[in-house]
Structures are given as C-alpha cells and as structure tokens.
Amino acid sequence: MKLTWLGHSAFRLDLGAAKILIDPFLRGNPNFSLDFDEVTSGVTHIVITHGHDDHIGDAAEIAQKHDAQVIANFEICMHLNGLGVENVNPGNTGGVIPTEHFSVALTPALHSAAATIDGKLTALGNANGVVILPASGPRVHHFGDTAMFSDMALTHEFYKPHIGLIPVGGRFTMDGATAALATRRYFDFSDVIPMHYGTFPIIDPTPERFVAAMQGAKTRVHTPKLGETLTF
C-alpha cells in the first residue's frame, strides 16, 4: 500500500487496482502546491468523512472527470449526485460499504458537518471517521475531524486498524496532546500520521505537540512532507 499526504486531511491510497482519495481538499487549500492532475490521476474512488468544505473539496470535479466512485454518508452522496456525480455508494454511521477491492467502515466522530451551498450553510448528515478495509494489507483509520471520546475503543475492537491518520490542529479537532492520548489509550497502531494542521492561521501550524506527546510510544510517528509517499 502506498499512502501519500496531499495536505490538510487529504490523502491518496494506492491499493493495487484501487486508487483512493480521502477528503480531497486540494485547490482550496492555500498550502497546496502539487500538480492537481498528477495527484488525481487514475483515481477510482473518493472517500469523504464529512460535509465541511475543507473535506468535500474538489470531489465533484474529480469524480466526474475520472468516473470515480464517491463513498460517503447518504446526504453527501445525494448532494454530489445533484452536482452531476453519478457514481455514488452511500452509507451511514456503523455501516460497512463494500467495493470490488476494499470496504469502508463509517465510524463515529464528534464534529459538525455542513457545507456552503448557494452562500448558506447546509447540513450534510453526521460527521464520520472511516476505516479502509482492503482485501489484504494494512487497515487504515482516517479519523476525519473529531474530539476524543471513549467509544474510539470500539473502533479499535471492531476493526483493529494498523495505521492511523489523526487530526492534531486543535480548536476544531483534537490538539496534539489530546490526539496522542487518544492514540495511546484507545488504539494499537503500528504507524500514525498527524493531519489537519498548518492550513489556517487559527489551528496549530505544526504537528510538534503531537510528536512530543508520542515520545516513548511503540507506535511509529510519521510527519510526511506535502506530496511525500509512504509505503506499508
């Protein structure tokens, strides 16, 4: 599995024939400096955790260009379908959505979820985390945007993810210290990657508080550069 950080909470996962984007907030990200066409090339699936603009991002454009299947809650799928995205695969919290090469579990997250539509905020269902469950290889838990909560332990119990993608920017999500506590207390990741930092002035500019709070843990912490690919 190849995992590429595209900034903020956006990642690309290459799982054999499946090319997956998670939360593709690319062109709207002021720090995004990669080649848009290159990082979206060949995309087969787009997974969206929740309805905020900095997570739906460029999903509609990418999905229509590549006929990529959008996997998200029902409300997000119907919203994007109304924008011309025909290939949608909806679910809701607690469900597992199958595809040909992997499945996606929609897990709980404590967060709001509304998009700006026609200049107004419109609710698009509940916020979620997702667990990518490939036919073989490591399981990846993308937390979405969330606070810490004790039922994170159930996500670990049910799905036993190997890799965690966790928000650390504070204010709208866990900060670094809280994210480290959640990682240590509720999960047994082999590897973890902090995200959702440095994009806007009012969130933490770096993941250093998370990195410091993870010192001594057996979980490996990665802080990839924008566009850097990790192989697992």
Side-chain angles (χ1 to χ4, degrees):
M1 185 190 78
K2 293 182 179 180
L3 178 65
T4 305
W5 186 49
L6 303 179
H8 201 54
S9 298
F11 289 85
R12 175 171 172 144
L13 276 67
D14 288 79
L15 298 171
K19 316 297 181 184
I20 308 164
L21 291 181
I22 305 177
D23 287 356
F25 175 58
L26 305 177
R27 286 179 168 151
N29 181 349
N31 297 327
F32 183 76
S33 58
L34 304 174
D35 186 304
F36 181 86
D37 291 333
E38 180 178 342
V39 300
T40 61
S41 174
V43 167
T44 59
H45 300 81
I46 300 170
V47 178
I48 301 172
T49 61
H50 68 287
H52 280 151
D53 298 323
D54 61 330
H55 294 262
I56 292 179
D58 303 287
E61 177 185 346
I62 298 166
Q64 290 178 87
K65 180 176 180 179
H66 297 281
D67 191 29
Q69 184 178 91
V70 172
I71 300 169
N73 71 26
F74 178 81
E75 290 81 1
I76 293 171
C77 283
M78 293 305 99
H79 166 60
L80 292 175
N81 183 249
L83 297 177
V85 178
E86 297 182 0
N87 192 355
V88 296
N89 194 354
N92 215 319
T93 309
V96 177
I97 304 169
T99 77
E100 183 178 358
H101 302 289
F102 63 96
S103 297
V104 179
L106 297 184
T107 62
L110 286 182
H111 194 64
S112 59
T116 305
I117 301 173
D118 296 329
K120 298 180 180 179
L121 282 176
T122 301
L124 289 177
N126 295 325
N128 289 112
V130 297
V131 184
I132 308 297
L133 305 167
S136 62
R139 299 178 171 194
V140 179
H141 179 34
H142 187 298
F143 283 71
D145 284 2
T146 187
M148 182 174 67
F149 57 100
S150 59
D151 280 354
M152 286 178 170
L154 295 177
T155 296
H156 171 69
E157 181 178 347
F158 290 161
Y159 303 113
K160 294 181 171 56
H162 304 94
I163 299 168
L165 312 176
I166 189 164
V168 303
R171 185 177 287 259
F172 302 106
T173 70
M174 298 178 284
D175 62 18
T178 308
L181 177 61
T183 300
R184 289 173 176 268
R185 179 170 294 184
Y186 299 123
F187 294 93
D188 187 24
F189 295 126
S190 60
D191 300 86
V192 67
I193 300 170
M195 63 178 185
H196 205 279
Y197 64 86
T199 314
F200 310 112
I202 57 176
I203 62 176
D204 283 355
T206 74
E208 292 310 310
R209 285 205 289 174
F210 177 76
V211 173
M214 287 295 293
Q215 289 293 323
K218 65 178 182 179
T219 301
R220 292 182 292 268
V221 178
H222 306 269
T223 55
K225 298 178 181 178
L226 181 68
E228 182 178 349
T229 298
L230 304 173
T231 302
F232 297 97

PDB file of all heavy atoms in Angstrom, residues 201-214:
ATOM      1  N   PRO A 201      -4.521  29.954   9.845  1.00  0.00           N
ATOM      2  CA  PRO A 201      -3.770  30.576  10.941  1.00  0.00           C
ATOM      3  C   PRO A 201      -4.278  30.230  12.334  1.00  0.00           C
ATOM      4  O   PRO A 201      -3.507  30.289  13.291  1.00  0.00           O
ATOM      5  CB  PRO A 201      -3.935  32.081  10.668  1.00  0.00           C
ATOM      6  CG  PRO A 201      -4.240  32.182   9.208  1.00  0.00           C
ATOM      7  CD  PRO A 201      -5.026  30.962   8.874  1.00  0.00           C
ATOM      8  N   ILE A 202      -5.542  29.852  12.480  1.00  0.00           N
ATOM      9  CA  ILE A 202      -6.093  29.651  13.821  1.00  0.00           C
ATOM     10  C   ILE A 202      -5.951  28.223  14.331  1.00  0.00           C
ATOM     11  O   ILE A 202      -6.396  27.924  15.443  1.00  0.00           O
ATOM     12  CB  ILE A 202      -7.571  30.095  13.894  1.00  0.00           C
ATOM     13  CG1 ILE A 202      -8.411  29.347  12.870  1.00  0.00           C
ATOM     14  CG2 ILE A 202      -7.679  31.604  13.697  1.00  0.00           C
ATOM     15  CD1 ILE A 202      -9.899  29.676  12.978  1.00  0.00           C
ATOM     16  N   ILE A 203      -5.345  27.325  13.548  1.00  0.00           N
ATOM     17  CA  ILE A 203      -5.029  25.993  14.070  1.00  0.00           C
ATOM     18  C   ILE A 203      -3.517  25.862  14.201  1.00  0.00           C
ATOM     19  O   ILE A 203      -2.759  26.676  13.678  1.00  0.00           O
ATOM     20  CB  ILE A 203      -5.624  24.864  13.203  1.00  0.00           C
ATOM     21  CG1 ILE A 203      -5.053  24.896  11.773  1.00  0.00           C
ATOM     22  CG2 ILE A 203      -7.147  24.977  13.176  1.00  0.00           C
ATOM     23  CD1 ILE A 203      -5.548  23.739  10.901  1.00  0.00           C
ATOM     24  N   ASP A 204      -3.076  24.837  14.928  1.00  0.00           N
ATOM     25  CA  ASP A 204      -1.641  24.683  15.171  1.00  0.00           C
ATOM     26  C   ASP A 204      -0.879  24.616  13.851  1.00  0.00           C
ATOM     27  O   ASP A 204      -1.289  23.903  12.923  1.00  0.00           O
ATOM     28  CB  ASP A 204      -1.379  23.417  15.974  1.00  0.00           C
ATOM     29  CG  ASP A 204      -1.708  23.581  17.444  1.00  0.00           C
ATOM     30  OD1 ASP A 204      -2.050  24.700  17.859  1.00  0.00           O
ATOM     31  OD2 ASP A 204      -1.626  22.583  18.188  1.00  0.00           O
ATOM     32  N   PRO A 205       0.250  25.310  13.765  1.00  0.00           N
ATOM     33  CA  PRO A 205       0.980  25.359  12.499  1.00  0.00           C
ATOM     34  C   PRO A 205       1.780  24.096  12.201  1.00  0.00           C
ATOM     35  O   PRO A 205       2.127  23.855  11.042  1.00  0.00           O
ATOM     36  CB  PRO A 205       1.913  26.558  12.677  1.00  0.00           C
ATOM     37  CG  PRO A 205       2.109  26.666  14.154  1.00  0.00           C
ATOM     38  CD  PRO A 205       0.814  26.239  14.768  1.00  0.00           C
ATOM     39  N   THR A 206       2.100  23.320  13.231  1.00  0.00           N
ATOM     40  CA  THR A 206       2.922  22.120  13.050  1.00  0.00           C
ATOM     41  C   THR A 206       2.334  20.983  13.880  1.00  0.00           C
ATOM     42  O   THR A 206       1.514  21.213  14.784  1.00  0.00           O
ATOM     43  CB  THR A 206       4.379  22.352  13.497  1.00  0.00           C
ATOM     44  OG1 THR A 206       4.424  22.372  14.937  1.00  0.00           O
ATOM     45  CG2 THR A 206       4.927  23.655  12.924  1.00  0.00           C
ATOM     46  N   PRO A 207       2.805  19.750  13.654  1.00  0.00           N
ATOM     47  CA  PRO A 207       2.361  18.616  14.461  1.00  0.00           C
ATOM     48  C   PRO A 207       3.243  18.360  15.669  1.00  0.00           C
ATOM     49  O   PRO A 207       3.160  17.288  16.286  1.00  0.00           O
ATOM     50  CB  PRO A 207       2.447  17.451  13.475  1.00  0.00           C
ATOM     51  CG  PRO A 207       3.653  17.788  12.645  1.00  0.00           C
ATOM     52  CD  PRO A 207       3.628  19.300  12.495  1.00  0.00           C
ATOM     53  N   GLU A 208       4.081  19.331  16.041  1.00  0.00           N
ATOM     54  CA  GLU A 208       5.113  19.054  17.029  1.00  0.00           C
ATOM     55  C   GLU A 208       4.565  18.686  18.408  1.00  0.00           C
ATOM     56  O   GLU A 208       5.166  17.889  19.129  1.00  0.00           O
ATOM     57  CB  GLU A 208       6.065  20.246  17.133  1.00  0.00           C
ATOM     58  CG  GLU A 208       6.920  20.443  15.880  1.00  0.00           C
ATOM     59  CD  GLU A 208       7.600  19.158  15.429  1.00  0.00           C
ATOM     60  OE1 GLU A 208       8.230  18.493  16.280  1.00  0.00           O
ATOM     61  OE2 GLU A 208       7.478  18.798  14.245  1.00  0.00           O
ATOM     62  N   ARG A 209       3.431  19.256  18.800  1.00  0.00           N
ATOM     63  CA  ARG A 209       2.866  18.890  20.097  1.00  0.00           C
ATOM     64  C   ARG A 209       2.458  17.419  20.115  1.00  0.00           C
ATOM     65  O   ARG A 209       2.612  16.730  21.131  1.00  0.00           O
ATOM     66  CB  ARG A 209       1.670  19.780  20.446  1.00  0.00           C
ATOM     67  CG  ARG A 209       2.062  21.186  20.872  1.00  0.00           C
ATOM     68  CD  ARG A 209       1.003  21.828  21.750  1.00  0.00           C
ATOM     69  NE  ARG A 209      -0.199  22.174  21.002  1.00  0.00           N
ATOM     70  CZ  ARG A 209      -1.304  22.631  21.569  1.00  0.00           C
ATOM     71  NH1 ARG A 209      -1.384  22.770  22.887  1.00  0.00           N
ATOM     72  NH2 ARG A 209      -2.338  22.958  20.823  1.00  0.00           N
ATOM     73  N   PHE A 210       1.947  16.942  19.000  1.00  0.00           N
ATOM     74  CA  PHE A 210       1.599  15.519  18.895  1.00  0.00           C
ATOM     75  C   PHE A 210       2.856  14.662  18.927  1.00  0.00           C
ATOM     76  O   PHE A 210       2.926  13.660  19.654  1.00  0.00           O
ATOM     77  CB  PHE A 210       0.820  15.261  17.615  1.00  0.00           C
ATOM     78  CG  PHE A 210       0.485  13.814  17.372  1.00  0.00           C
ATOM     79  CD1 PHE A 210      -0.531  13.196  18.080  1.00  0.00           C
ATOM     80  CD2 PHE A 210       1.184  13.075  16.428  1.00  0.00           C
ATOM     81  CE1 PHE A 210      -0.844  11.855  17.856  1.00  0.00           C
ATOM     82  CE2 PHE A 210       0.881  11.747  16.197  1.00  0.00           C
ATOM     83  CZ  PHE A 210      -0.139  11.134  16.910  1.00  0.00           C
ATOM     84  N   VAL A 211       3.855  15.046  18.153  1.00  0.00           N
ATOM     85  CA  VAL A 211       5.100  14.280  18.097  1.00  0.00           C
ATOM     86  C   VAL A 211       5.730  14.189  19.482  1.00  0.00           C
ATOM     87  O   VAL A 211       6.163  13.114  19.923  1.00  0.00           O
ATOM     88  CB  VAL A 211       6.078  14.910  17.089  1.00  0.00           C
ATOM     89  CG1 VAL A 211       7.432  14.226  17.151  1.00  0.00           C
ATOM     90  CG2 VAL A 211       5.501  14.845  15.669  1.00  0.00           C
ATOM     91  N   ALA A 212       5.760  15.302  20.195  1.00  0.00           N
ATOM     92  CA  ALA A 212       6.352  15.314  21.530  1.00  0.00           C
ATOM     93  C   ALA A 212       5.570  14.431  22.493  1.00  0.00           C
ATOM     94  O   ALA A 212       6.165  13.697  23.312  1.00  0.00           O
ATOM     95  CB  ALA A 212       6.410  16.741  22.063  1.00  0.00           C
ATOM     96  N   ALA A 213       4.248  14.472  22.402  1.00  0.00           N
ATOM     97  CA  ALA A 213       3.420  13.691  23.312  1.00  0.00           C
ATOM     98  C   ALA A 213       3.450  12.197  23.003  1.00  0.00           C
ATOM     99  O   ALA A 213       3.059  11.379  23.842  1.00  0.00           O
ATOM    100  CB  ALA A 213       1.980  14.198  23.279  1.00  0.00           C
ATOM    101  N   MET A 214       3.915  11.828  21.812  1.00  0.00           N
ATOM    102  CA  MET A 214       4.027  10.418  21.434  1.00  0.00           C
ATOM    103  C   MET A 214       5.403   9.840  21.744  1.00  0.00           C
ATOM    104  O   MET A 214       5.648   8.652  21.480  1.00  0.00           O
ATOM    105  CB  MET A 214       3.727  10.256  19.945  1.00  0.00           C
ATOM    106  CG  MET A 214       2.256  10.414  19.587  1.00  0.00           C
ATOM    107  SD  MET A 214       1.182   9.135  20.283  1.00  0.00           S
ATOM    108  CE  MET A 214       1.764   7.692  19.387  1.00  0.00           C
TER     109      MET A 214
END
